[in-house]
Amino acid sequence: MVRKKLDERVRTLIERGVVKNERSILVLVGDHGKDQVPNIHQLLTKTSVRARPKVLWCYKKELGFSTHRMKRMKKIKRDKARGLDKGTSSETDPSVDNFELFLGSTDINWCYYKDSHRVLGSTVGMLVLQDFEALTPNLMARTIETVEGGGLVIFLMRSVKSLKQLYTMSMDVHSRYRTEGAGDVVPRFNERFILSLGKCNNCLVCDDELNVLPLSKSALNKLSGENTVSKGLAGEVLAYKSKEDVDLEQLKETLRDTPHVGVLVELAKTMDQAKAILTFLEACAEKTTKSTVALTAGRGRGTQVSRTFGLHYQI
């Protein structure tokens, strides 16, 4: 197996996400996309000095491989005894051993899409979404919000001649809306989702050999000329502090000696979250019914945490 040089834009995408504490999206199109997951996970691990990122792997029914180590070993021995291991040994395909090592050394949470409700409240560094046809907007939002800032979301898609084929792909959820009178369902979400990926600055679309495809033009234009990431001696990315981070640290320092309030504000991750917590605490301290506080934000922005801290203070 010939080793290939990784496209620097893939590395820059992950490094920029870690520096800015933003999630990044990587779409792998091809039947062998799963073989690149260990390489991407290793790249994400080297980028930061934290522990190996936890992985949440969601799928519909079948993974295509066994997650049980003993079962995998038995299958390898059985294939060798039958002479069926041609092309799958480590001598001819090192990616097999690489994937086996990844499964054995990484904390992976395997989850069916139908059981995705049990991952709510958990935090992972990498999310792998398999079986694109089984996805719904709600499933995507439910699983992606478990990825921490600087984490990575990977979509595994099957080989297609053109990405426009995904526009008309028949999704599992369409079966609910088919009736005798209306048998055809227009998959509007597919087209909107693919087009939104093209406009996303933190998204790259690659094939199963990590060759960058020209779908995500917005990200390609930014990543091609961007090389301003500072690195340490071990190759890890050095995160810089923005003005918002400095203001948040100053606010935490100011309220550190304030009973109850300082402890809750210390847990805030962003300045907006800290302001929301303070607003809730002020409303609770008034102990009147004359004021009403409403908090609105996009899904996964930390609104639930802010409300919980306010209720904790009131109790």
Side-chain angles (χ1 to χ4, degrees):
M1 183 178 181
V2 181
R3 298 183 64 180
K4 294 179 58 178
K5 180 177 173 58
L6 178 68
D7 195 315
E8 285 299 322
R9 290 173 291 187
V10 178
R11 191 190 306 274
T12 304
L13 173 74
I14 298 176
E15 292 176 349
R16 188 181 66 176
V18 173
V19 169
K20 295 185 177 181
N21 203 34
E22 298 176 348
R23 302 181 184 108
S24 303
I25 299 177
L26 196 60
V27 182
L28 299 181
V29 182
D31 296 333
H32 302 285
K34 72 174 182 61
D35 295 333
Q36 296 295 343
V37 174
N39 300 328
I40 299 170
H41 185 269
Q42 181 67 15
L43 183 60
L44 181 62
T45 303
K46 289 183 177 180
T47 302
S48 59
V49 294
R50 297 172 294 181
R52 286 177 64 87
K54 296 181 179 179
V55 178
L56 173 61
W57 195 306
C58 298
Y59 58 102
K60 179 184 175 182
K61 285 185 179 180
E62 297 181 1
L63 280 167
F65 55 90
S66 175
T67 60
H68 196 281
R69 183 175 179 273
M70 295 304 297
K71 288 183 178 180
R72 293 198 307 272
M73 295 300 295
K74 287 182 180 179
K75 184 179 184 301
I76 293 174
K77 291 180 179 179
R78 188 167 59 249
D79 290 345
K80 285 184 177 180
R82 296 178 179 177
L84 301 176
D85 62 333
K86 296 179 180 179
T88 60
S89 63
S90 59
E91 298 178 358
T92 56
D93 192 358
S95 64
V96 175
D97 277 354
N98 189 25
F99 194 75
E100 290 288 333
L101 182 62
F102 168 72
L103 295 180
S105 61
T106 309
D107 185 3
I108 307 178
N109 182 9
W110 309 98
C111 179
Y112 291 112
Y113 282 130
K114 62 180 181 181
D115 298 331
S116 59
H117 58 275
R118 66 178 177 84
V119 304
L120 291 173
S122 60
T123 303
V124 296
M126 176 185 286
L127 169 66
V128 180
L129 296 175
Q130 191 175 315
D131 304 321
F132 179 75
E133 66 275 3
L135 279 174
T136 63
N138 191 48
L139 281 176
M140 288 175 51
R142 183 183 295 171
T143 53
I144 291 177
E145 70 180 7
T146 64
V147 182
E148 62 186 356
L152 188 63
V153 181
I154 300 178
F155 289 91
L156 297 181
M157 298 185 181
R158 297 174 182 173
S159 296
V160 290
K161 294 181 180 179
S162 172
L163 288 175
K164 289 186 177 180
Q165 290 182 4
L166 298 174
Y167 293 177
T168 57
M169 177 183 289
S170 179
M171 309 292 280
D172 293 350
V173 72
H174 293 163
S175 59
R176 303 180 189 176
Y177 307 106
R178 289 194 181 94
T179 61
E180 295 181 358
D184 296 331
V185 178
V186 181
R188 302 186 189 278
F189 166 72
N190 295 22
E191 182 175 357
R192 291 171 180 171
F193 175 66
I194 300 300
L195 292 176
S196 65
L197 291 181
K199 298 177 181 178
C200 180
N201 294 330
N202 288 358
C203 173
L204 276 181
V205 182
C206 306
D207 60 12
D208 52 9
E209 294 183 354
L210 291 183
N211 298 315
V212 179
L213 302 179
L215 172 68
S216 43
K217 294 182 179 179
S218 178
L220 290 175
N221 294 334
K222 284 200 168 187
L223 294 174
S224 297
E226 183 173 334
N227 194 16
T228 58
V229 178
S230 302
K231 296 184 180 181
L233 297 176
E236 76 280 5
V237 172
L238 300 178
Y240 67 91
K241 292 183 179 180
S242 62
K243 183 178 182 300
E244 182 178 321
D245 296 332
V246 175
D247 293 342
L248 179 61
E249 289 184 358
Q250 292 177 353
L251 179 62
K252 290 181 179 180
E253 186 66 29
T254 304
L255 300 173
R256 186 157 294 166
D257 297 331
T258 306
H260 307 297
V261 178
V263 178
L264 295 177
V265 174
E266 188 69 28
L267 299 175
K269 297 296 184 181
T270 62
M271 191 64 183
D272 291 335
Q273 200 174 55
K275 290 179 180 178
I277 294 173
L278 290 175
T279 304
F280 279 124
L281 298 185
E282 290 176 2
C284 293
E286 291 179 1
K287 295 183 179 180
T288 62
T289 58
K290 295 181 180 179
S291 61
T292 302
V293 179
L295 178 64
T296 59
R299 190 166 182 174
R301 298 294 94 195
T303 55
Q304 183 65 36
V305 176
S306 303
R307 290 195 297 267
T308 302
F309 287 162
L311 292 174
H312 177 73
Y313 175 80
Q314 180 68 14
I315 295 174

